[in-house]
Amino acid sequence: MANYRPSAPFTVPMFLFAPTTETEIVKGVPKKIYSESGDLIYCSFRTFGGTENKSNGVLVVEDTAVIETWYRPDIKSDCILKNENGDQYEILGTPENINMRNQIMKFKIRKISGGV
């Protein structure tokens, strides 16, 4: 079986925030509450200039990136990540457990902005 090698070293520090079991109601919509302190993880962070989408005839560029990091079963699609600058990112889709070996995981993130 061939070994999977990460595309870059895991040198970028990010903070992982998992949602608590509680929610709050904001304007009639339930909103997740995240833990106060985040776990420090190290990862590779690769951007490709964003992702272009058309929304109502307007071209919109979303800040997206691909993350590779050591496998952690607590990293799920409902978690958020923050970098050292305080930028928040949400995980898109389900994180992939590379080769199902519980060693390295890979997932795509999108920057949360616009009033959050």
Side-chain angles (χ1 to χ4, degrees):
M1 177 186 283
N3 290 334
Y4 178 82
R5 298 206 185 270
S7 60
F10 301 151
T11 57
V12 179
M14 299 282 276
F15 296 96
L16 174 70
F17 294 88
T20 62
T21 56
E22 301 173 10
T23 58
E24 65 179 355
I25 305 297
V26 177
K27 296 183 181 178
V29 178
K31 184 178 176 183
K32 295 177 187 171
I33 298 175
Y34 291 91
S35 57
E36 293 292 323
S37 61
D39 291 339
L40 179 64
I41 64 170
Y42 287 91
C43 59
S44 68
F45 182 89
R46 294 178 305 160
T47 62
F48 301 101
T51 302
E52 295 178 355
N53 289 327
K54 271 199 170 182
S55 176
N56 296 328
V58 177
L59 182 64
V60 178
V61 178
E62 295 179 334
D63 291 331
T64 57
V66 174
I67 298 283
E68 288 185 55
T69 189
W70 297 113
Y71 176 80
R72 288 181 53 152
D74 58 336
I75 298 178
K76 298 181 178 167
S77 60
D78 59 353
C79 296
I80 60 172
L81 296 169
K82 286 186 185 179
N83 63 10
E84 292 180 319
N85 298 332
D87 296 332
Q88 291 186 11
Y89 296 89
E90 65 180 339
I91 297 175
L92 300 175
T94 304
E96 179 184 2
N97 181 2
I98 304 292
N99 291 335
M100 300 301 288
R101 297 184 72 187
N102 295 346
Q103 291 179 341
I104 296 173
M105 62 188 331
K106 183 176 184 178
F107 51 91
K108 192 170 188 176
I109 60 174
R110 174 176 56 194
K111 188 174 184 180
I112 301 172
S113 61
V116 177

